[in-house]
Amino acid sequence: DGLPEQDQARMASMIEHLQLRDSLRMYNSLVERCFTDCVDNFTRKTLQKQEETCVMRCAEKFLKHSMRVGMRFAELNSQAATPE
Amino acid sequence: DGLPEQDQARMASMIEHLQLRDSLRMYNSLVERCFTDCVDNFTRKTLQKQEETCVMRCAEKFLKHSMRVGMRFAELNSQAATPE
Amino acid sequence: DGLPEQDQARMASMIEHLQLRDSLRMYNSLVERCFTDCVDNFTRKTLQKQEETCVMRCAEKFLKHSMRVGMRFAELNSQAATPE
Amino acid sequence: MAANNAVGIDKEQVFGMAETEMEYRVELFNRLAKTCFSKCVDKRYKENELNMGENSCIDRCVSKYWQVNSMIGQLLSAGGRPPTM
Amino acid sequence: MAANNAVGIDKEQVFGMAETEMEYRVELFNRLAKTCFSKCVDKRYKENELNMGENSCIDRCVSKYWQVNSMIGQLLSAGGRPPTM
Amino acid sequence: MAANNAVGIDKEQVFGMAETEMEYRVELFNRLAKTCFSKCVDKRYKENELNMGENSCIDRCVSKYWQVNSMIGQLLSAGGRPPTM
């Protein structure tokens, strides 16, 4: 609030940087999870149809799950007036 | 030792920062572990009595465990005269 | 490429720093994995012969595995002309 | 010059703490999400929608995780021991 | 002075993004390696060499992991949603 | 000015290495603690104290983990290969 303009810019840039880093980590963890849950056959080097379907459903479910958790999390965060 | 005062302050501040970060991570991992081990029933949205008991015991055991490991770890570290 | 010399030095130093950090993490994760897979008997405080053998094989296999994955990963990376 | 430096360090600390606090929240969220996904979502992935049972499981899971987080936070600060190792 | 600062911030961002990009690749590699080790390598560790079956499993595992990575990357960018939370 | 900068970079490297070294030790401790907790502590949590069996298991687990850490450290440096990827 009372921060000088330059510091506000720096804070915004830090937040942006953390968000980018976090979304890349989420991407990595999503890939690992769906691969682990859906791919178990290594007799061929390309995905089979049902593996592809499984991966897409897994990813979509995970994203919907994240959005739902995000909403609930935000509600609880806002209820906790002074979180510290 | 031979560091200028300003650098000593910076080193101290870095250590403090790492300790804070590490203790917050420990807090997060403790919560995840005790939740995972103790909570498996999702027919209600509040913790039941025996879940609460389980969580508290889990957390206390984990902290005692950490302290014991910390002591042993320090002993081994001090035995290893030149650790690198 | 077009970076001033000073910035190139900084970039090189950053890469070196990330590589050091990553190799230490790999070391930690290798130790955890081989310990978890090979050590399960806690009636004595020193490793038994067959635990040692298991740990060494595990570590060697893991390193060979990492190298193989690294080669395949590099091939795929170079095929993906514009990775972004 | 010295005063300048002192201010410089303080500002670094403020930014450092803000960053640590944000990292903490992000990690809390990520662990919560991972845990509730494991507890609530059927890994056979027969469809790409969350069904009603999964959705209510998720809501309750988030609520309970939050409670556990508070309980352990209180334990850590009550022990005279702030959440340090 | 102001211009100087602006340049300073931009440069920080460039270095910050390069670092984030490298961290991303390292994490991708590490998760891939961990996952394929779990899927392909016999945990009894009867020898210190990877046998032929393990080696071809690893090659296929890397190839399939890469495909899954691309598929999910496309899903995330297609959703209008760049890979953000 | 150039000398000034060179000194600046060196100092950054010193701080960077000190930080990396500390992060390494913290991670070693955390993985050791996590692993020995899994191996030694009964997950039914019937009491809030560690019993004698758990305590001696923990002591031996720490000792063995330390040995494994040294063995693998030696393997990595012996291979001519410092612990790099």
Side-chain angles (χ1 to χ4, degrees):
Chain A
D1 312 347
L3 284 182
E5 208 174 299
Q6 192 189 327
D7 290 349
Q8 282 184 25
R10 188 174 155 194
M11 187 65 84
S13 147
M14 186 182 85
I15 292 175
E16 206 181 328
H17 175 237
L18 289 178
Q19 282 176 336
L20 174 62
R21 198 176 66 180
D22 184 53
S23 55
L24 289 172
R25 285 187 184 162
M26 193 274 275
Y27 176 23
N28 267 323
S29 87
L30 178 51
V31 171
E32 183 188 344
R33 171 180 290 276
C34 296
F35 182 86
T36 299
D37 287 351
C38 294
V39 185
D40 263 317
N41 182 312
F42 298 102
T43 55
R44 297 175 57 196
K45 64 177 277 196
T46 51
L47 292 173
Q48 290 175 267
K49 194 71 206 131
Q50 90 275 15
E51 288 172 330
E52 281 191 23
T53 310
C54 180
V55 165
M56 292 313 281
R57 284 179 183 162
C58 170
E60 289 183 25
K61 273 195 141 173
F62 187 86
L63 293 172
K64 284 165 190 164
H65 168 78
S66 288
M67 277 192 294
R68 191 166 189 106
V69 171
M71 286 186 334
R72 297 291 163 262
F73 193 72
E75 286 168 16
L76 289 164
N77 251 317
S78 68
Q79 279 165 31
T82 48
E84 199 57 19
Chain B
D1 311 351
L3 284 181
E5 208 174 299
Q6 193 188 328
D7 290 350
Q8 282 184 25
R10 189 174 155 194
M11 187 65 84
S13 146
M14 186 182 85
I15 292 175
E16 206 182 329
H17 176 238
L18 289 178
Q19 283 177 335
L20 174 61
R21 197 176 66 179
D22 183 54
S23 55
L24 289 172
R25 286 187 184 163
M26 193 275 276
Y27 176 22
N28 266 323
S29 87
L30 177 52
V31 171
E32 183 189 344
R33 170 179 290 276
C34 296
F35 183 86
T36 299
D37 288 350
C38 294
V39 184
D40 264 316
N41 181 312
F42 299 102
T43 55
R44 297 175 58 195
K45 65 177 276 198
T46 51
L47 292 173
Q48 290 176 268
K49 194 70 204 132
Q50 89 274 16
E51 289 172 328
E52 282 191 21
T53 309
C54 180
V55 164
M56 293 313 279
R57 285 178 182 162
C58 169
E60 290 184 24
K61 272 194 142 175
F62 187 86
L63 292 172
K64 284 166 190 164
H65 168 78
S66 288
M67 277 192 294
R68 191 166 188 107
V69 171
M71 286 187 333
R72 297 292 163 260
F73 193 74
E75 286 167 16
L76 290 164
N77 250 318
S78 68
Q79 280 166 30
T82 49
E84 199 55 19
Chain C
D1 313 346
L3 283 181
E5 207 175 300
Q6 193 189 329
D7 289 349
Q8 282 184 25
R10 189 175 154 193
M11 188 64 85
S13 145
M14 187 182 85
I15 291 175
E16 206 182 329
H17 175 237
L18 289 178
Q19 283 177 335
L20 174 62
R21 198 176 66 181
D22 184 52
S23 56
L24 289 172
R25 285 188 185 161
M26 192 274 275
Y27 176 22
N28 266 323
S29 86
L30 177 51
V31 171
E32 183 188 342
R33 172 180 290 275
C34 296
F35 182 87
T36 299
D37 287 351
C38 294
V39 185
D40 262 317
N41 180 312
F42 299 102
T43 55
R44 296 176 57 196
K45 64 177 277 197
T46 51
L47 291 174
Q48 289 175 268
K49 194 71 206 130
Q50 89 275 16
E51 288 172 329
E52 281 190 23
T53 309
C54 179
V55 165
M56 291 314 280
R57 285 179 183 161
C58 169
E60 290 183 24
K61 273 194 141 173
F62 188 86
L63 292 172
K64 284 165 190 164
H65 167 79
S66 288
M67 277 191 295
R68 191 167 187 105
V69 170
M71 286 184 335
R72 297 291 162 263
F73 192 74
E75 286 167 17
L76 290 164
N77 251 319
S78 67
Q79 280 165 31
T82 48
E84 199 57 16
Chain D
M1 173 82 186
N4 226 332
N5 252 313
V7 168
I9 286 181
D10 281 349
K11 203 184 271 184
E12 287 315 304
Q13 288 183 331
V14 168
F15 278 105
M17 280 181 57
E19 190 168 355
T20 301
E21 163 78 14
M22 278 184 251
E23 284 176 340
Y24 163 71
R25 300 230 159 242
V26 166
E27 197 192 341
L28 171 58
F29 178 85
N30 288 340
R31 285 179 181 263
L32 187 162
K34 185 185 70 169
T35 305
C36 290
F37 193 85
S38 299
K39 299 262 187 196
C40 292
V41 179
D42 183 358
K43 260 150 221 61
R44 283 167 299 167
Y45 306 115
K46 291 192 183 163
E47 17 179 26
N48 65 1
E49 295 292 336
L50 298 166
N51 63 41
M52 218 176 61
E54 288 170 332
N55 273 330
S56 62
C57 179
I58 292 165
D59 294 350
R60 289 164 186 158
C61 183
V62 175
S63 162
K64 284 190 161 188
Y65 197 98
W66 192 264
Q67 277 182 273
V68 169
N69 193 58
S70 307
M71 278 174 60
I72 292 183
Q74 279 166 25
L75 175 72
L76 290 173
S77 43
R81 195 194 305 121
T84 39
M85 204 167 69
Chain E
M1 172 81 183
N4 225 330
N5 252 313
V7 169
I9 286 181
D10 281 350
K11 201 183 275 183
E12 286 316 303
Q13 288 182 331
V14 169
F15 279 105
M17 280 182 58
E19 190 168 355
T20 301
E21 163 77 14
M22 278 184 251
E23 284 176 340
Y24 162 72
R25 299 230 160 243
V26 166
E27 197 191 340
L28 171 57
F29 178 86
N30 289 339
R31 285 179 182 263
L32 186 162
K34 186 184 69 169
T35 305
C36 291
F37 193 86
S38 298
K39 299 262 187 197
C40 294
V41 179
D42 182 359
K43 260 150 221 60
R44 282 167 301 167
Y45 306 116
K46 291 192 182 163
E47 15 179 28
N48 64 1
E49 295 291 336
L50 298 166
N51 62 41
M52 219 176 61
E54 288 170 332
N55 273 329
S56 62
C57 178
I58 291 166
D59 293 351
R60 289 165 186 157
C61 183
V62 174
S63 163
K64 284 190 160 188
Y65 198 98
W66 192 266
Q67 277 183 274
V68 169
N69 193 59
S70 306
M71 279 175 59
I72 292 183
Q74 279 167 24
L75 174 72
L76 290 173
S77 44
R81 194 194 306 118
T84 39
M85 207 167 68
Chain F
M1 173 82 183
N4 226 332
N5 253 314
V7 169
I9 286 181
D10 282 349
K11 202 184 272 184
E12 286 315 304
Q13 288 183 330
V14 169
F15 278 104
M17 281 182 56
E19 190 168 355
T20 300
E21 163 78 14
M22 278 185 251
E23 285 176 339
Y24 163 71
R25 299 227 160 246
V26 166
E27 197 191 341
L28 170 58
F29 178 86
N30 288 340
R31 285 179 182 263
L32 186 162
K34 186 185 69 168
T35 306
C36 291
F37 193 85
S38 298
K39 298 263 186 196
C40 293
V41 179
D42 182 359
K43 260 152 220 59
R44 283 167 299 167
Y45 305 116
K46 292 193 181 160
E47 15 178 28
N48 65 0
E49 296 291 336
L50 298 166
N51 63 40
M52 219 176 61
E54 288 170 331
N55 272 329
S56 61
C57 178
I58 292 165
D59 293 350
R60 289 164 185 157
C61 183
V62 174
S63 162
K64 284 190 160 188
Y65 198 98
W66 192 265
Q67 277 182 274
V68 170
N69 193 58
S70 307
M71 279 174 61
I72 292 182
Q74 279 167 24
L75 175 72
L76 291 173
S77 42
R81 194 194 307 119
T84 38
M85 206 167 65

